[in-house]
Amino acid sequence: MCSSDLVQAALDEAQHQARRGDLARSIQAFTDALEMRPTLVDAFIGRGRCHLELGDYSSAMSDFARAEDLNPDRPDPHVAMGDLYFARKEYKRAIEFYDQAVEIDGSHAMARCRRGISHYYRKNYRQAYQDLQRALALDPEIPNMRKYRSEEHTSELQSHSDLVCRLLL
């Protein structure tokens, strides 16, 4: 097996383990891939997301920052850093990273979606509406949007803002 095949096998294993929920094994497989090829942005992001899911924010941020250093013109590391702050309920900080991602790629639907949700939690309903509307236009199949279309959440949105509610109905 050539080194490219070994790297790909490690990445495939990492993704398989992550889907199974075995994040420790996924982290190890991403690490194996990075030992063979230390410039794999997707491996740093994948490993960082596993750390994030485990609540290891420091390791997650380290991996996301390394991914950004390797390819600063790619929106994914910024989205991942925004997700970290979103998970910590630091929505203002999350918005800053989502802003950076959108600046790099204005068609990044997930960055717009998560930025919109962050604005919602900060009670910036007009901005939330604009971001969520644009995200839906870019990708109507965003998985997390279903949550915001549920009857229970829709009534909560309606009590806060008719603008956001109209978007999500």
Side-chain angles (χ1 to χ4, degrees), residues 70-81:
L70 288 168
N71 194 342
D73 296 327
R74 199 168 149 196
D76 301 326
H78 301 281
V79 172
M81 287 187 255

Side-chain angles (χ1 to χ4, degrees), residues 100-119:
Q100 292 170 15
V102 169
E103 187 175 312
I104 292 167
D105 179 1
S107 66
H108 200 292
M110 193 56 73
R112 287 185 180 276
C113 175
R114 292 182 181 151
R115 184 174 72 176
I117 295 168
S118 296
H119 278 298

Side-chain angles (χ1 to χ4, degrees), residues 140-159:
E141 299 302 316
I142 294 174
N144 292 338
M145 294 304 286
R146 288 186 181 94
K147 169 181 160 187
Y148 288 88
R149 290 179 181 170
S150 71
E151 287 182 33
E152 173 186 336
H153 206 77
T154 299
S155 65
E156 178 186 345
L157 287 170
Q158 194 168 23
S159 71

Side-chain angles (χ1 to χ4, degrees), residues 33-94:
L34 287 165
E35 286 173 357
M36 291 182 269
R37 192 167 298 147
T39 58
L40 291 170
V41 172
D42 289 333
F44 278 110
I45 292 172
R47 186 173 72 178
R49 289 198 177 281
C50 290
H51 285 302
L52 177 59
E53 200 165 322
L54 291 170
D56 184 352
Y57 300 127
S58 178
S59 294
M61 183 54 88
S62 177
D63 280 343
F64 299 153
R66 182 70 180 125
E68 180 192 18
D69 290 344
L70 288 168
N71 194 342
D73 296 327
R74 199 168 149 196
D76 301 326
H78 301 281
V79 172
M81 287 187 255
D83 292 346
L84 182 147
Y85 285 103
F86 186 92
R88 295 175 59 157
K89 298 183 185 332
E90 294 180 37
Y91 303 114
K92 181 179 180 183
R93 191 83 167 109

